[in-house]
């Protein structure tokens, strides 16, 4: 699904067979203005998405923006002004807010993580823990907040997680079968493998054939031990149980990447509001 198709589906979900509230009391000839106002401080994301929503509803609506994605906004800031048919603006209102509030919440949360590890050299990654049909928007918001996207889906990178390994018959078999599969299908994809303990790290290093080793639910002390075994032969990624409170401890280990599902999975939307200015 493309982002435009996702927007159309979101509008269809909200409008159904008609915005009867606006149809009932707003004359089609009325032209007015509304403002998007920040009710919380944070990092803004989703202006282009808002414009796509508005164009889908009524291309005559004009958006005059005073901020851009990635800007730090304060409570009370005016983000943009809309001018156009009032009925159309009201129809688009909730969908615009739903996208922008969630995206700005993700960008804000990501920014907090990035600021925590400044200077460590570690990169913050998102995960596939996204809202169905919202992945493009949510991963874009992570980038706006300063984070880096991990694989977009199941198709653009091989990740051999615990269940893959167990069902395949072990670490070595999972790696070997993956290489054969890539060769048979003429695919060039990076391979990451999850490890659950130091013994599995040793097995992966001894066997080889991967690009990145994930250290899943390791303590910072165990990560340091694992990094000594890996000896910079492979990229390394820490994952699992990592929060803002312990993030710095993980980053200081020297691990290359830290993946954080909470960036898109457990976030609070940023409070934004579209408000009436007047009729023109």
């Amino acid at each position: 699904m493309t982002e435009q198709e996702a927007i159309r589906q979101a509008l269809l979900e909200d409008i159904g067979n008609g915005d009867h509230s606006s149809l009932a009391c707003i004359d089609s000839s009325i032209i007015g203005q509304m403002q998007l106002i920040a009710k919380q401080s944070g990092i803004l994301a989703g202006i282009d998405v808002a414009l796509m929503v508005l164009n889908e509803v009524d291309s005559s609506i004009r958006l005059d923006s005073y901020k851009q994605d990635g800007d730090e906004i304060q409570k009370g800031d005016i983000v943009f002004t809309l001018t156009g048919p009032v009925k159309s603006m009201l129809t688009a209102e909730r969908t615009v807010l739903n996208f922008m509030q969630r995206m700005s919440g993700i960008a804000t949360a990501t920014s907090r993580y990035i600021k925590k590890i400044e200077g460590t050299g570690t990169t913050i990654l998102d995960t596939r823990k996204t809202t169905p049909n919202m992945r493009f928007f949510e991963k874009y918001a992570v980038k706006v907040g300063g984070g880096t996207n991990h694989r977009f889906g199941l198709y653009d990178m091989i990740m051999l997680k615990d269940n893959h390994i167990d069902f395949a018959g072990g670490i070595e078999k999972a790696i070997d079968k993956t290489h054969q599969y890539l060769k048979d299908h003429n695919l060039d994809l990076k391979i990451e493998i999850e490890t659950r303990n130091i013994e599995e790290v040793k097995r992966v290093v001894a066997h080889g054939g991967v690009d990145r080793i994930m250290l899943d639910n390791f303590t910072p002390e165990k990560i340091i031990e694992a990094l000594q075994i890996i000896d910079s032969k492979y990229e390394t990624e820490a994952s699992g149980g990592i929060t803002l409170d312990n993030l710095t401890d993980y980053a200081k280990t020297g691990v290359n990447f830290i993946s954080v599902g909470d960036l898109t999975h457990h976030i609070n939307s940023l409070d934004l509001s579209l408000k009436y200015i007047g009729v023109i």
Side-chain angles (χ1 to χ4, degrees), residues 1-255:
M1 179 181 291
T2 67
E3 53 265 36
Q4 193 65 56
E5 289 170 337
I7 286 169
R8 287 178 187 139
Q9 286 297 316
L11 286 166
L12 179 62
E13 175 184 64
D14 198 35
I15 298 170
N17 69 352
D19 173 12
H20 298 300
S21 302
S22 298
L23 290 168
C25 66
I26 305 296
D27 192 288
S28 297
S29 63
I30 297 177
I31 304 298
Q33 289 186 310
M34 301 179 77
Q35 286 180 332
L36 184 73
I37 302 171
K39 299 178 74 175
Q40 273 184 290
S41 299
I43 305 298
L44 183 68
I47 289 180
D48 286 346
V49 178
L51 188 56
M52 292 170 72
V53 171
L54 295 166
N55 284 336
E56 192 68 35
V57 172
D58 188 335
S59 60
S60 71
I61 299 172
R62 191 179 81 237
L63 185 154
D64 295 306
S65 184
Y66 316 117
K67 304 288 183 180
Q68 61 184 357
D69 284 358
D71 282 353
E72 188 169 345
I73 56 174
Q74 304 299 322
K75 181 178 179 181
D77 281 352
I78 298 171
V79 176
F80 59 64
T81 298
L82 300 181
T83 304
V86 171
K87 188 162 62 176
S88 297
M89 291 193 297
L90 293 176
T91 297
E93 175 185 0
R94 176 45 52 193
T95 303
V96 166
L97 289 172
N98 284 348
F99 276 110
M100 289 200 67
Q101 287 178 316
R102 182 159 183 81
M103 291 174 70
S104 297
I106 290 170
T108 301
T110 302
S111 178
R112 293 192 189 108
Y113 277 82
I114 298 301
K115 288 176 181 177
K116 268 273 192 176
I117 63 163
E118 282 180 349
T120 64
T122 300
T123 298
I124 295 292
L125 302 175
D126 57 17
T127 71
R128 286 170 45 245
K129 294 178 181 178
T130 55
T131 309
N133 297 329
M134 282 285 290
R135 185 167 294 174
F136 171 85
F137 307 104
E138 293 180 350
K139 281 183 169 284
Y140 168 76
V142 167
K143 292 173 69 175
V144 169
T148 300
N149 295 153
H150 206 307
R151 57 178 181 162
F152 194 85
L154 293 170
Y155 55 85
D156 58 353
M157 184 178 181
I158 298 284
M159 183 182 286
L160 303 174
K161 294 180 71 66
D162 53 356
N163 285 331
H164 298 98
I165 293 165
D166 292 341
F167 277 116
I171 286 170
E172 295 80 7
K173 286 184 179 179
I175 294 172
D176 291 345
K177 288 179 178 179
T178 297
H179 277 280
Q180 188 61 52
Y181 172 83
L182 293 176
K183 181 179 178 181
D184 291 344
H185 292 82
N186 195 30
L187 293 172
D188 182 19
L189 298 174
K190 283 194 171 185
I191 301 172
E192 178 170 2
I193 190 163
E194 179 181 284
T195 57
R196 294 165 281 192
N197 50 58
I198 292 295
E199 181 56 37
E200 289 190 346
V201 172
K202 290 178 179 178
R203 287 172 62 185
V204 172
V205 171
H207 190 75
V210 300
D211 298 287
R212 184 183 301 174
I213 299 175
M214 176 187 283
L215 307 167
D216 190 48
N217 286 302
F218 281 51
T219 63
E221 293 74 22
K222 284 295 181 182
I223 286 179
I224 291 172
E225 184 179 347
L227 293 180
Q228 291 173 344
I229 295 166
I230 296 167
D231 194 27
S232 301
K233 293 183 177 72
Y234 307 100
E235 292 179 342
T236 54
E237 176 184 332
S239 182
I242 301 172
T243 67
L244 267 177
D245 292 334
N246 61 23
L247 179 67
T248 304
D249 293 334
Y250 279 91
K252 286 180 177 179
T253 64
V255 70

